[in-house]
Amino acid sequence: QVQLVQSGAEVKKPGASVKVSCKVSGYTLSELSMHWVRQAPGKGLEWMVTFNPEDGETIYAHKFQGRVTMTEDTSTDTAYMEVSSLKSEDTAVYYCATHQKAVAGYFDYWGQGTLVTVSS
Amino acid sequence: EIVLTQSPDTLSLSPGERATLSCRASQSVSGYLAWYQQKPGQAPRLLIYDASSRATGIPARFSGSGSTTHFILTISSLETEDFAFYYCQQRGNWPITFGQGTRLEIK
């Protein structure tokens, strides 16, 4: 059973950066394809980025390319997602998510979410 | 980018009734569509993947159907705990996209 535990809520000023972590247990990070999905207050779900360990490829949603960086520390089984040049529209709950091989491309394990608030 | 349009935006039903939620894709996603349930303050929960396969631990009252551009999530007899938001998601083409959601509320 995979468990994903994310870092705590953050408050940032416009123009700053934020780095959210996602600690994996139950599996090693290198076995998993990790994704990040965000949800603005009262809004729907928005996929941001995916890392596939099988080919080492990171795929970003077009709107986040150049502003979002996904990294992994396999020694601690922790994934990170950094958003730079924050704007008020980036205020959202950020989720890490992954999946069993049988449901590749979907998300059957989720972190608890990290609220990032961007406000001056 | 494939746009997923869910309908209705809000569905008002009573416990015991049958719920039918729709998800239409702007182009074919083959059968690569999932459904999620989300309750306030919680992460989404995968219900259905590949259009009609139930995820682990999901009750049999949840079923999915459809292919290419039109998909349906059916809840055969609503339980109180089923009143929530529902989202569809496609993985047929990059980027992965979600529908805007359907709110299922108690009538």
Side-chain angles (χ1 to χ4, degrees):
Chain A
Q1 183 82 348
V2 177
Q3 285 194 309
L4 306 176
V5 178
Q6 298 182 223
S7 49
E10 303 261 14
V11 180
K12 295 291 183 181
K13 294 193 183 303
S17 297
V18 67
K19 193 170 186 177
V20 179
S21 68
C22 175
K23 168 76 174 171
V24 175
S25 60
Y27 274 74
T28 60
L29 184 56
S30 58
E31 298 177 277
L32 300 172
S33 179
M34 293 300 297
H35 314 261
W36 291 86
V37 174
R38 77 177 186 179
Q39 186 171 36
K43 303 296 185 182
L45 301 164
E46 182 176 31
W47 170 76
M48 300 176 67
V49 59
T50 288
F51 175 72
N52 185 353
E54 293 185 3
D55 59 15
E57 189 176 4
T58 303
I59 302 173
Y60 292 91
H62 181 73
K63 69 180 286 186
F64 297 114
Q65 261 174 334
R67 206 163 66 86
V68 169
T69 304
M70 183 176 174
T71 56
E72 298 192 338
D73 182 346
T74 53
S75 69
T76 60
D77 289 320
T78 304
Y80 298 91
M81 194 274 304
E82 183 171 20
V83 185
S84 61
S85 302
L86 287 164
K87 312 168 213 178
S88 58
E89 308 92 89
D90 294 316
T91 294
V93 175
Y94 289 77
Y95 293 101
C96 59
T98 188
H99 53 77
Q100 302 174 75
K101 283 195 175 178
V103 296
Y106 307 113
F107 315 115
D108 60 342
Y109 295 107
W110 295 73
Q112 81 277 20
T114 296
L115 175 62
V116 175
T117 303
V118 183
S119 174
S120 54
Chain B
E1 164 173 325
I2 293 177
V3 176
L4 299 179
T5 303
Q6 294 185 236
S7 61
D9 288 333
T10 302
L11 184 58
S12 301
L13 294 170
S14 300
E17 291 192 292
R18 181 185 188 90
T20 304
L21 287 68
S22 172
C23 177
R24 289 187 182 272
S26 59
Q27 61 191 82
S28 175
V29 299
S30 298
Y32 298 124
L33 189 110
W35 290 93
Y36 297 84
Q37 178 193 68
Q38 187 180 33
K39 297 180 180 179
Q42 296 184 16
R45 177 174 70 144
L46 179 66
L47 301 174
I48 302 288
Y49 65 96
D50 287 347
S52 60
S53 297
R54 261 191 307 277
T56 304
I58 301 303
R61 64 181 182 274
F62 291 92
S63 63
S65 62
S67 64
T68 62
T69 62
H70 189 208
F71 300 85
I72 298 287
L73 172 69
T74 301
I75 311 171
S76 59
S77 179
L78 285 166
E79 305 271 347
T80 304
E81 62 263 29
D82 299 336
F83 292 94
F85 285 88
Y86 291 83
Y87 296 94
C88 57
Q89 174 239 326
Q90 67 82 22
R91 73 164 189 90
N93 285 284
W94 294 101
I96 291 170
T97 51
F98 290 89
Q100 85 280 10
T102 289
R103 181 187 178 193
L104 177 56
E105 64 176 22
I106 298 178
K107 188 172 183 179

